[in-house]
Amino acid sequence: MSLQQLRDESDFDQLPHNVAVTATIADIEEKKGFIDYYRFVIEVKTKGGSKYFIYRRYREFFTLHQTLESKYSPEESDRQGQNTCPLPPLPGKVFLGNKREIAEGRIPELNTYMKRLLGLPAWFLLDDTLRMFFYQTDQDSQQQPRALRPIQRVVMFDFRGNGKEELNLKKGEVIFLLQRVNADWLEGTVNNQTGIFPQSFVKIIKPLPDSNTEGEGEGHTYSCLRCFLLTPSGVDTRDVCVEEELTTQPTYKDLLFHMRNVFKVNDIALNYRDMEGDLIRVVDDEDIQLMIKESRGQESKIKRPVNQFPWELYVTLASDFSVYNTEL
């Protein structure tokens, strides 16, 4: 059922004005921290005409879909009941690949999913789980999109690219603009393809921000985590920048995942140095608490930059005990 058909029904007129009726992904944003991930910036429009932005990760879409399936999908696919509703398919999980490319590729699929979801019968739009997903929380309202992705529309004529680097464009298509290549060429995404195209073939609805003013006054404060990879061949020291505040207590799982990405090694163990200088193995969240508590007791002895965490992480190969200076 289309949105227009839904509007023609009396049930739709009875819906509250704050019920979401359309939702479109305006951009994706990378969140850097102990776990790097992308979230979707979604513009929501309500029946009453209000517009606002919400920020959701793919896993939140996945949780929403599972909950709705458990409530409304019929046990038998060929049997429909009064409280059942055929749900649109959600794009599946992707376990391998570039995170940005995965997020980019999901934009048209998730837009289609939300359009079909909000096009279901009026009674379905009153579901509490669905309404909470599209509800603008306090956390959503306190955030501002860093720079909504400009949209370009091909309005003049088709363009056939030469080579893999250039996009094929058709009149009327919407392109998500990524960056300017030079004075004449731009880079963007359309139909799950990323490439370059001539600016003269499109009309820019919203221009790219100037490179010298982008983010001006909106700089992010990064905290620095010093990490050491200890191996029989030597020590690899890294200063890892994250957005988390210095008071943040990460989980063991997040730290392990992040260190595997930083050092590109899977077979690792996490450790910290105690007051005596010995390495202590970290195996769970309680050990993380002890590590942070221990490091704070040493703050007066060790001078660190103001943006550096008071604790340091020592990463060792899980299968190699020769680098330890104490029995773990």
Side-chain angles (χ1 to χ4, degrees), residues 234-253:
V235 179
D236 183 0
T237 304
R238 303 281 183 91
D239 284 330
V240 180
C241 290
V242 296
E243 283 189 1
E244 276 75 6
E245 297 179 356
L246 296 177
T247 55
T248 300
Q249 178 178 304
T251 65
Y252 168 76
K253 182 178 178 181

Side-chain angles (χ1 to χ4, degrees), residues 9 14 24 28 58 60 64 78 84 86 88-90 103 107 110 132 139 145 153 162 184 202 207 210 225 271 273 301:
E9 296 200 0
Q14 303 303 315
T24 306
I28 58 172
Y58 170 78
E60 293 174 276
L64 168 71
D78 59 342
T84 61
L90 177 73
I107 290 176
L110 290 177
M132 284 304 300
Q139 185 177 8
R153 186 175 297 275
N162 296 317
D184 301 316
V202 299
D210 295 335
L225 170 61
N271 313 268
R273 290 199 183 277
K301 301 179 182 179

Side-chain angles (χ1 to χ4, degrees), residues 22 40 47 50 52 55 61 64 98 114 156 217 241 244 247 270 296:
T22 66
F40 299 94
K47 178 190 171 225
S50 299
Y52 53 80
Y55 303 79
F61 278 95
L64 168 71
N98 181 278
M114 291 188 293
M156 299 182 66
C241 290
E244 276 75 6
T247 55
L270 306 184
R296 286 173 179 164

Side-chain angles (χ1 to χ4, degrees), residues 139-201:
Q139 185 177 8
D140 290 327
S141 63
Q142 292 168 6
Q143 302 179 67
Q144 290 293 330
R146 296 175 186 173
L148 287 184
R149 179 168 305 179
I151 296 178
Q152 298 188 334
R153 186 175 297 275
V154 180
V155 296
M156 299 182 66
F157 43 84
D158 296 350
F159 172 74
R160 187 170 184 82
N162 296 317
K164 296 181 179 179
E165 294 80 13
E166 298 181 9
L167 289 175
N168 294 320
L169 304 178
K170 292 182 179 181
K171 184 177 179 179
E173 284 184 327
V174 175
I175 305 172
F176 291 94
L177 185 60
L178 298 178
Q179 64 176 338
R180 178 177 295 279
V181 178
N182 55 40
D184 301 316
W185 288 78
L186 301 167
E187 182 182 28
T189 298
V190 64
N191 297 327
N192 295 332
Q193 301 294 320
T194 298
I196 62 174
F197 54 92
Q199 178 175 319
S200 59
F201 279 65

